Structures are given as structure tokens and as C-alpha cells.
Amino acid sequence: MKRNHLIVSTAVFLLLCSSLSGCNDRSEANVSEQRTAVSTKIQGKTMGTFYAVNVVGGYKGGESALTELAENCFKKICDEISTFDKNAELAKFNDFKSTEPYEISSDLSKIIQDTVYQGRRIDEATDITVGPLVNLWGFGINKRNDSAPTEEQIAEAKKLVGFDKFEIRFEGEKSYLIKKDPDVRLDLSTVGEGLGADAVAEELIKQGYKDFMVNVAGASRSYGVNAEGRKWKLGIEDPTSPTPKLFVPICALDKAVTTAGSYRNFFKDEKSGTVYSHAIDPKTGYPVSHKTLSVTVISDSAFEADALDTGLLVLGADKTLEWGEKNNYPLATIEYKDGKPVLRHTKQFEPYLKCGSENKEK
Ligand code: ADP
Ligand code: MG
């Protein structure tokens, strides 16, 4: 989730490949000329970025009904977790300058618990208490400075960061958040896109649709086949290209795919020329500066993948791949090596790279 006026996204090829032509190879393009099914396709803006939905076979009620479905899903999520909209539930909690218990909805409570759980799995590298650092580095509600914050400012903000800086308390059906310091601020932006893709996908499944793709910027959920009757393809974007460019095609195989990148949303310190990305290492207080440019996670839920990807990006490619092998996750990283992007992946990622002959019609 980004500030509203900024249209920045990580995995533009998720959109380009799913909703427009351009990802199929020549033989598939020929097939598509012969037997392309009717589809309802929509695209628009949400969470400061773009979304696209493609329902093969058509959506009842057409584009306007599908747009309403998608935008209702996104609105519910934004009303819960936005830090940019002052009226959102999380933004109100952030503005609550007190250490008294603050009652939150059960839905927000669940998102927080689940994101914390995912963060704990990866050495607390996804840490929703990064809010003060996100603001300090100009990726949140504060106006961005031309230069990086000082070490003192970073040390001050870091005092508010860590899994021990807030608590969730339950009383019967009710959930309460408690800050350890009135200035603690939570940030769930990293899971906004994944939550959005899951919400739309789950609604479509509930309504009985079997062939569709949903993209919310770098998060995607797909099911079944595309309009040409072939399994959906996506692409991981080339993180070194200034314009959207496919780096490697992958088959989605009915899974959620998310990519976190350090290369689209960043700012440049005018004095030093240093580029700072929006993924912040909660342990150092600094945006990631290593050579890992993107991390792609495949999972059953886009939420889970999105909760993991930013933290894994913080950990870097070596630790990401080690964690993926150990925990049986399909993961891919792109690093900058000898002036060019280099892909590495876990062995569990291999089936998703095989979009050739075995990726035939259902
Ligand atoms: P991407 O476009 O790379 O997928 P997201 O929009 O999903 O990124 O998440 C990036 C946002 O997450 C940042 O703008 C910031 O608000 C928040 N964030 C940054 N670093 C962390 C972190 N280590 N843990 C949790 N959230 C973070
Ligand atoms: Mg993320």
C-alpha cells in the first residue's frame, strides 16, 4: 500500500501478462486466435497502485458489477489497514497517543496476528512496528526530505520498533491493542496488496468462478485457465530495467504469487546520491541496501506471500533461499551481479518455471 498519489509497483508484469497479450509464445498466440473465450476484464487504481481482474467466461453483470465487487473488497481492507487515510482503523490507532487498551475489530485483529506470525517465521524481518521508520524515511505520512535522516533520528525512531512494542489483548470476543509507548505506530502496508488479491479471489470462488486472475500490483491470485484455455502465465519483472520488462516467465499453477522489490519505490538522497528503498530493515533502521533487488514468493494465500516477501527482501537472497529450502517454499530472488540481474530460486520453484510443453490445456 502506498501513498495515494504515488503509482509505484513492483511486479508490473503480473498485470501485463495476465490481462494483455504479450506473454504467450508464438504457438500459443496461434491457438488463441482460434478459440479465445469471452472474458470480463477490468483494471483500476487502489492502495496507491493498480489492480486488474480477468474473469474468463465473463462475469455476471459485466465490467461494472466486477468493478463494484473488487472495489468493495479493496475499500474494506483500506478502511481497516490504511495508514494514509486518517479515518482508517489502523490510522486512528496510530494517532491514539496513549498506552491504554484500544479496542479494534476482529478483522483487523486477525490481520495483525497473522502478519506477526509470518514475521516471526523469518527472524522478525517483516515487522509491523516499522511505522516510525517508514515515516522518518519519507515512505509514510510525512513529507519526504531531500536527504536521509540523521543517525540520531534513526536511533530515536528505532526505540519504537520491535515485536515487544505492542501487545494484543483479548477479552471474550473483543480484541485490544496496547502500545508500549504512545508514539508506537503500526504499518500493515506490506500486506495490503496480498489481502486485496485474496479478497477478490475468494469472492469469485464463492460465486462459482473457476477461471480467473486477480492482480493487485505485485500480488496475484489465479485459478484455472486463461481465455485461450491455457494455464495462466505471469512474469517476474526485470528489476534493473527503468521501464517494465519481463525477466522470467512463470506459470501460476493456481497459486498466489507476490514479488517485493527494492527498485520501484525509493528516494535518492540529493547530497550523497544514495538510493534508499521502501523496504526497511527493522534491526538497523535503514532501508535495505544489499544487492538483492526482488524476492518472489509462491503460496496458497497472497496474504501469506505478501507478509513474507518484504521481510525476505530485507534478509537478502542467501537467507531467503536457505529459508525457502528449509521450509519447502517456492521462492525466487533477483540479485544485481556483475552489472546484470541474476535469478536464483529454491528447488520448489522449478515447476513454476516450466511453462512449456507440460503447461498444456487442462
Ligand atoms: P512491494 O511493492 O515491494 O511489494 P509493499 O508495498 O508490499 O512492497 O510493502 C512495502 C511497504 O511495507 C513499505 O512502504 C512500508 O510501509 C512497509 N515496510 C517496509 N519495511 C518493512 C518491514 N521490514 N516490515 C514490514 N513492513 C515494512
Ligand atoms: Mg509485501
Side-chain angles (χ1 to χ4, degrees):
M1 193 173 288
K2 282 100 191 169
R3 45 172 103 221
N4 279 337
H5 60 272
L6 254 181
I7 304 293
V8 280
S9 67
T10 300
V12 175
F13 258 86
L14 292 177
L15 171 67
L16 295 182
C17 291
S18 59
S19 59
L20 307 174
S21 61
C23 284
N24 291 334
D25 60 28
R26 191 178 288 271
S27 58
E28 285 181 333
N30 290 338
V31 172
S32 75
E33 278 162 25
Q34 292 158 19
R35 41 190 300 272
T36 301
V38 176
S39 298
T40 305
K41 294 182 192 177
I42 56 162
Q43 44 188 303
K45 289 177 189 167
T46 184
M47 305 181 195
T49 184
F50 65 82
Y51 74 85
V53 185
N54 183 344
V55 179
V56 177
Y59 184 73
K60 62 172 190 290
E63 287 175 21
S64 59
L66 186 57
T67 303
E68 196 183 324
L69 178 154
E71 297 200 345
N72 283 342
C73 289
F74 302 144
K75 182 174 184 314
K76 180 175 182 301
I77 294 161
C78 292
D79 286 349
E80 283 159 4
I81 71 160
S82 177
T83 46
F84 298 105
D85 172 3
K86 274 185 169 310
N87 295 315
E89 207 184 343
L90 190 65
K92 282 187 185 159
F93 168 70
N94 283 342
D95 286 340
F96 178 66
K97 303 272 177 198
S98 163
T99 54
E100 290 296 307
Y102 184 94
E103 189 180 343
I104 54 167
S105 65
S106 57
D107 286 349
L108 179 60
S109 170
K110 181 158 176 13
I111 297 169
I112 291 173
Q113 289 172 68
D114 290 349
T115 312
V116 166
Y117 170 78
Q118 297 301 336
R120 287 202 200 284
R121 298 176 73 197
I122 52 168
D123 200 19
E124 303 186 357
T126 294
D127 180 344
I128 65 169
T129 65
V130 287
L133 288 168
V134 170
N135 287 343
L136 184 64
W137 283 96
F139 295 107
I141 50 173
N142 296 352
K143 197 176 160 286
R144 182 167 298 165
N145 293 324
D146 289 341
S147 54
T150 62
E151 269 180 45
E152 290 72 29
Q153 287 173 310
I154 294 165
E156 210 45 46
K158 257 185 69 191
K159 289 183 189 159
L160 302 167
V161 176
F163 279 49
D164 58 341
K165 299 298 183 296
F166 79 102
E167 188 193 317
I168 300 197
R169 199 173 286 168
F170 306 99
E171 271 173 35
E173 300 278 283
K174 293 184 173 176
S175 295
Y176 298 86
L177 282 177
I178 299 158
K179 297 183 181 190
K180 293 286 155 71
D181 181 301
D183 289 327
V184 164
R185 302 183 80 88
L186 303 186
D187 186 318
L188 289 164
S189 295
T190 185
V191 293
E193 296 161 8
L195 285 168
D198 279 345
V200 177
E202 272 144 34
E203 193 53 44
L204 289 171
I205 291 167
K206 211 158 77 189
Q207 294 181 14
Y209 292 93
K210 299 214 161 44
D211 299 309
F212 62 81
M213 175 170 278
V214 182
N215 298 130
V216 184
S220 145
R221 276 276 298 262
S222 58
Y223 272 93
V225 292
N226 63 16
E228 290 84 41
R230 306 221 164 229
K231 289 199 171 161
W232 293 101
K233 276 187 192 177
L234 306 165
I236 303 179
E237 193 180 16
D238 179 347
T240 61
S241 169
T243 51
K245 187 175 155 213
L246 176 67
F247 187 61
V248 59
I250 54 175
C251 11
L253 301 183
D254 295 347
K255 294 279 186 184
V257 183
T258 72
T259 297
S262 57
Y263 56 96
R264 285 272 179 255
N265 192 6
F266 57 81
F267 93 95
K268 196 168 170 184
D269 183 320
E270 294 304 334
K271 272 189 237 138
S272 67
T274 311
V275 172
Y276 295 101
S277 113
H278 71 158
I280 296 174
D281 185 341
K283 302 231 166 36
T284 63
Y286 280 79
V288 290
S289 60
H290 48 58
K291 298 285 181 201
T292 306
L293 302 179
S294 78
V295 172
T296 296
V297 181
I298 298 182
S299 165
D300 288 331
S301 114
F303 163 79
E304 183 185 271
D306 210 9
L308 292 169
D309 66 7
T310 304
L312 290 171
L313 182 67
V314 166
L315 294 180
D318 289 345
K319 284 190 182 156
T320 292
L321 297 171
E322 197 185 304
W323 184 88
E325 295 280 355
K326 212 164 109 193
N327 293 280
N328 204 23
Y329 267 79
L331 300 173
T333 58
I334 300 180
E335 292 156 281
Y336 193 63
K337 275 192 182 156
D338 304 324
K340 54 181 196 309
V342 176
L343 179 87
R344 286 197 287 155
H345 58 81
T346 58
K347 64 175 179 304
Q348 293 83 353
F349 199 83
E350 268 158 30
Y352 302 93
L353 289 168
K354 293 178 181 156
C355 294
S357 54
E358 61 270 58
N359 184 23
K360 281 262 174 351
E361 295 166 52
K362 261 185 165 178

